[in-house]
């Protein structure tokens, strides 16, 4: 066996063009020994019942503690490593976390979910009961309603801010559980039972309200995440999964659901999630439901480094609380021109959708940005469009827009000539918004 | 807020029928305190950059070391916990393992993949090169060609054998990487380059052959599994993923691919994976490619325990190397009558497909079995049909059929009156095969 080196006279078409990869070492003849010259050494070692990662892999969550008057009531907050993630499934150990008190340490043998209130019969479900019932497994994103908000990021100028820092309050998993409609039908919802109050088993008894219509549509009581039991910080043993709606509805460590005849404004809703909106004259809407259409370029993205001109795949994630992503456009000139990205199937409703676009960087300044459209026809807005919708001037007033939640402006990454990538959504020095 | 107890006069229809869940405690009035009576205690604690599991979760791999002449050349062998898994994604830390020597501890900064042989230019790809190239993410199963084989299990009578013990040499992940066709086109495959020899970076230099047509069709050079870098026992940093074909083709710790003009019988193929087939007069086929259509009931399954008569969802996994699963039938009477199971979407090609069937156990003996059909129309055979195809008598000759690989017979679980589940494929005492 011999290694052949390159043949420059070949007319064979190269897929990416010659020297497309700047760092690629061609003509590797003789560098690798053939297989049969190696001694055969067999030393069975490892693996383990539950395998570790390579010691070289550091991908992990980062803390996300904004300064401000609400800090005191915040529990653990960690952002998912969007910039390192491949595919559409977020590994459970790095799923983002927004909790409001302690993490319960629940013995699954003692776990019970009570459904009561305006029902024909109140029922307690053990974990084993839930696992015997009709199940579904679906891929859905979760997103904190404050993710990407100027309230977290707009009050200072960042540089080299990563996609994880800016937008890591979202993740996507394969969730397995029982449709909540199955449990409610088993209990028999009485006439007038139009709302639910769900309560967590954490020390703070986190409590949130849900309309009956959504509960009967696609809400799940879940015990499985990405094939295994929920992790403690994701609600072990049982949580709600409310597809497409802002994170707080998906109550973790679910201990009871009470059927009631009117919407409640529970403690957490009133104190932590009541949101003053500039577009409503600083009034709050009572409830916020669906998360809007959104997309992010995750590779290359803020803080990453291009090694020189040549071929790079642009890749990112898109999602919408309204259902399916129908298209994603990508621009490398800050939004002057757009190209249709390739949608990386399969495409699930209310789930991350991975998109890609081939790109050859010429070494000049560039501005990468993606824009998603969902099946309802909603198009992701620019940050200037968001500001206009809210009736504010973006550059001046973002710092004070602390409660600007459900924030889905397009994210612009500025590529400088040294190959570095910079945030150009909040840090707009040296350029203007498209 | 008050908890209401059951109303027996209600005419409201219950989804599962009254008292469908034997262990379910109804009328739970007063057992749970209302949320507002609890003190609000906020103690932010945890989580971690890479979260742990609950201390109550023990789900893990089990060792699988058959006795026999081949044991000496076997490296780590561990079975995936199919009976505990939810959904279709196998968590990476419990993915099954069949390795033939040590697990390399590779520094990703030093990693290179060499593609050479009959190409216009030999190229070395670093991990960073691979991550810049056009990517795909797809959900695919992997299965050891010896999984479920009588060669592992038929030589002794088991009782209470689990689905993990019998069939745990298979798993399913979302894999992310570069199509191998992209790399081969970049190198320029020369005329006559019709086969590939792929070599691993483990101590044994595991080596396997692949036809060029398959390489160009759907093979990937992968670096991501379920959203994060491959685990060491799955080939970190880079492995092949050969969808639908027996596990050995998906070479782990991939270090080089040589393009050649004929099939090779590499050391591992000749010594460890050359399979004598009863149906071929004990001759071996040179290569075995595609894994056949197969399904398993994972819940309830061997070693599990029903708590009493009542409602249980039967749930399991089906897959085929030929492509999509088109239907799964389930029988609770050992194959006399069959019902169409519900396919739990989404359905991917060459991937696990989850199926479910509602079942009310009456407390009598039952025999649970599933049978899958794939898009090509292939139907999973009974164990007697497999024996007939191979020209042997099943009960007498399974113990000697050590090389009966690609084994896809239907798995029958016998439910005894005490609610226990027993293997009825190899351990057939007290019943006959359908």
């Amino acid at each position: 066996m011999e290694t052949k080196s390159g043949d420059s006279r070949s007319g064979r078409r190269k897929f990416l063009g010659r020297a497309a990869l700047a760092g690629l070492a061609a003509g590797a003849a003789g560098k690798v020994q053939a297989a049969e010259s190696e001694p055969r050494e067999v030393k069975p070692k490892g693996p383990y019942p539950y395998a570790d990662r390579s010691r070289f892999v550091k991908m992990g969550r980062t803390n996300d503690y904004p300064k401000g008057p609400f800090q005191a009531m915040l529990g653990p907050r960690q952002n998912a490593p969007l910039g390192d993630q491949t595919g559409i499934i977020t590994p459970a150990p790095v799923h983002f976390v927004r909790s409001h008190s302690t993490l319960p340490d629940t013995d699954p043998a003692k776990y019970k979910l009570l459904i009561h209130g305006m029902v024909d019969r109140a029922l307690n479900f053990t974990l084993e009961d839930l696992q015997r019932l009709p199940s579904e497994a679906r891929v859905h994103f979760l997103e904190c309603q404050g993710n990407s908000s100027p309230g977290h990021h707009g009050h200072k100028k960042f540089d080299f801010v990563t996609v994880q820092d800016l937008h890591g309050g979202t993740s996507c998993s394969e969730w397995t559980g029982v449709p909540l409609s199955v449990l409610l039908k088993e209990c028999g919802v009485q006439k007038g039972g139009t709302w639910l109050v769900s309560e967590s088993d954490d020390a703070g008894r986190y409590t949130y309200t849900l309309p009956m219509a959504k509960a009967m549509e696609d809400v799940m009581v879940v015990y499985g995440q990405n094939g295994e039991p929920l992790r403690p910080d994701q609600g072990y043993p049982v949580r709600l999964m409310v597809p497409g709606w802002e994170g707080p509805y998906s109550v973790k460590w679910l201990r009871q659901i009470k059927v009631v005849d009117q919407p409640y404004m529970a403690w957490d809703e009133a104190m932590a999630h009541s949101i003053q909106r500039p577009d409503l004259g600083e009034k709050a809407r009572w409830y916020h439901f669906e998360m809007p259409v959104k997309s992010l370029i995750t590779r290359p993205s803020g803080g990453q480094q291009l090694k020189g001109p040549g071929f790079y795949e642009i890749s990112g994630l898109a999602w919408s609380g309204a259902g399916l992503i129908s298209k994603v456009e990508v621009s490398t000139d800050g939004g002057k021109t757009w190209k249709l990205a390739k949608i990386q199937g399969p495409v699930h409703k209310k789930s991350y959708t991975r998109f890609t676009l081939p790109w050859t960087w010429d070494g000049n300044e560039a501005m990468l940005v993606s824009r998603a459209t969902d099946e309802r026809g909603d198009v992701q807005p620019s940050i200037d469009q968001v500001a206009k919708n809210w009736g504010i001037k973006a550059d001046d007033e973002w710092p004070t827009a602390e409660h600007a939640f459900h924030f889905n402006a397009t994210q612009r990454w500025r590529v400088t000539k040294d190959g570095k990538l910079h945030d150009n959504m909040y840090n707009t020095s040296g350029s203007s918004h498209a």
Side-chain angles (χ1 to χ4, degrees), chain A:
Chain A
M1 292 196 198
E2 263 188 73
T3 303
K4 295 200 180 196
S5 59
D7 176 1
S8 62
R9 293 166 305 174
S10 168
R12 211 171 288 273
R13 186 182 159 273
K14 302 306 178 300
F15 186 78
L16 303 168
R18 191 163 293 282
L21 287 170
L24 189 150
K31 283 187 185 168
V32 176
Q33 294 177 305
E36 55 272 34
S37 69
E38 297 289 340
R40 188 172 179 84
E41 204 185 319
V42 180
K43 291 179 185 165
K45 195 178 73 173
Y48 305 95
Y50 199 81
D52 288 332
R53 303 192 290 174
S54 162
R55 65 193 173 95
F56 294 101
V57 174
K58 306 297 181 197
M59 174 180 180
R61 297 182 294 206
T62 47
N63 286 317
D64 178 25
Y65 286 101
K67 303 269 182 252
F70 290 94
Q71 189 173 20
M73 72 176 70
L74 296 171
R77 297 168 57 89
Q78 292 208 332
N79 279 348
L82 295 172
D84 298 321
Q85 184 184 323
T86 59
I88 61 168
I89 300 293
T90 305
V94 295
H95 192 288
F96 86 92
V97 174
R98 298 287 185 277
S99 292
H100 288 257
S101 62
T102 56
L103 302 187
D105 177 39
T106 308
D107 181 345
K110 294 176 186 158
Y111 174 79
K112 279 181 186 165
L113 166 62
L114 172 66
I115 299 184
H116 64 132
M118 297 175 71
V119 293
D120 289 341
R121 50 175 197 166
L123 292 175
N124 264 315
F125 296 87
T126 66
L127 181 58
E128 209 172 283
D129 291 337
L130 295 174
Q131 289 170 336
R132 285 168 61 178
L133 289 171
S135 65
E136 293 204 14
R138 298 202 303 261
V139 179
H140 287 305
F141 77 90
L142 267 182
E143 186 176 11
C144 169
Q145 80 282 10
N147 191 34
S148 319
S149 166
H152 294 167
H153 306 294
H155 55 286
K156 55 179 172 175
K157 294 288 185 190
F158 286 88
D159 198 11
F160 280 88
V161 173
T162 67
V163 65
Q164 176 167 6
D165 291 334
L166 283 170
H167 306 290
T170 172
S171 293
C172 184
S173 295
E174 183 197 46
W175 303 99
T176 300
V178 189
L180 179 51
S181 61
V182 168
L183 305 182
L184 290 170
K185 284 174 188 165
E186 188 67 9
C187 294
V189 174
Q190 293 176 342
K191 199 178 166 184
T194 50
W195 289 78
L196 307 172
V197 180
S198 300
E199 186 192 275
S200 161
D201 200 27
D202 63 335
R205 298 283 182 250
Y206 178 86
T207 306
Y208 225 77
T209 305
L210 189 70
M212 182 65 73
K214 177 68 174 176
M216 297 307 252
E217 182 196 343
D218 63 357
V219 175
M220 292 193 284
V221 172
V222 301
Y223 46 79
Q225 183 185 8
N226 298 343
E228 56 189 330
L230 297 173
R231 284 227 171 2
D233 58 24
Q234 293 310 315
Y236 179 81
V238 173
R239 78 177 296 170
L240 277 183
M241 165 46 53
V242 180
W245 285 22
E246 59 174 37
Y249 289 95
S250 293
V251 173
K252 295 188 276 197
W253 316 292
L254 184 66
R255 77 195 293 248
Q256 64 165 318
I257 296 174
K258 182 157 188 171
V259 178
V260 295
D261 62 356
Q262 56 182 297
Y264 279 73
M265 181 55 88
W267 195 95
D268 296 280
E269 295 171 286
M271 297 304 288
H273 297 146
S274 175
I275 302 163
Q276 294 162 269
R277 306 233 340 170
D279 55 340
L280 300 176
E282 298 306 323
K283 288 181 185 167
R285 292 193 310 201
W286 200 352
Y287 290 107
H288 298 67
F289 296 139
E290 198 176 284
M291 294 304 291
V293 62
K294 193 163 177 176
S295 71
L296 301 166
I297 291 172
T298 57
R299 176 183 296 271
S301 62
Q304 295 178 5
Q305 169 77 54
L306 305 183
K307 284 292 161 78
F311 181 89
Y312 294 87
E313 183 182 64
I314 295 171
S315 179
L317 296 165
W319 62 93
S320 170
L324 296 169
I325 290 294
S326 56
K327 71 171 177 180
V328 181
E329 299 157 286
V330 171
S331 173
T332 57
D333 56 16
K336 290 192 196 77
T337 61
W338 295 91
K339 282 182 184 165
L340 210 55
K342 180 185 167 195
I343 295 288
Q344 169 71 66
V347 179
H348 308 294
K349 275 184 179 289
K350 306 172 187 179
S351 159
Y352 280 1
T353 297
R354 174 70 66 176
F355 64 87
T356 62
L357 186 81
W359 176 51
T360 301
W361 182 45
D362 61 8
N364 292 317
E365 280 230 353
M367 189 79 81
L368 310 184
V369 55
S370 65
R371 180 172 69 184
T373 303
D374 67 24
E375 62 175 322
R376 197 165 52 194
D378 286 355
V379 181
Q380 188 182 3
S382 71
I383 195 166
D384 287 345
Q385 287 169 327
V386 171
K388 193 176 169 191
N389 289 344
W390 290 352
I392 63 171
K393 286 178 187 168
D395 287 344
D396 299 336
E397 300 183 38
W398 286 129
T400 61
E402 292 216 348
H403 300 262
F405 288 176
H406 287 226
F407 191 85
N408 67 331
T410 52
Q411 167 71 49
R412 308 196 327 168
W413 301 115
R414 188 156 61 100
V415 184
T416 43
K417 286 189 175 183
D418 55 5
K420 286 183 176 141
L421 282 109
H422 312 253
D423 166 44
N424 192 250
M425 187 160 78
Y426 296 120
N427 178 10
T428 56
S429 56
S431 70
S432 65
H433 288 294

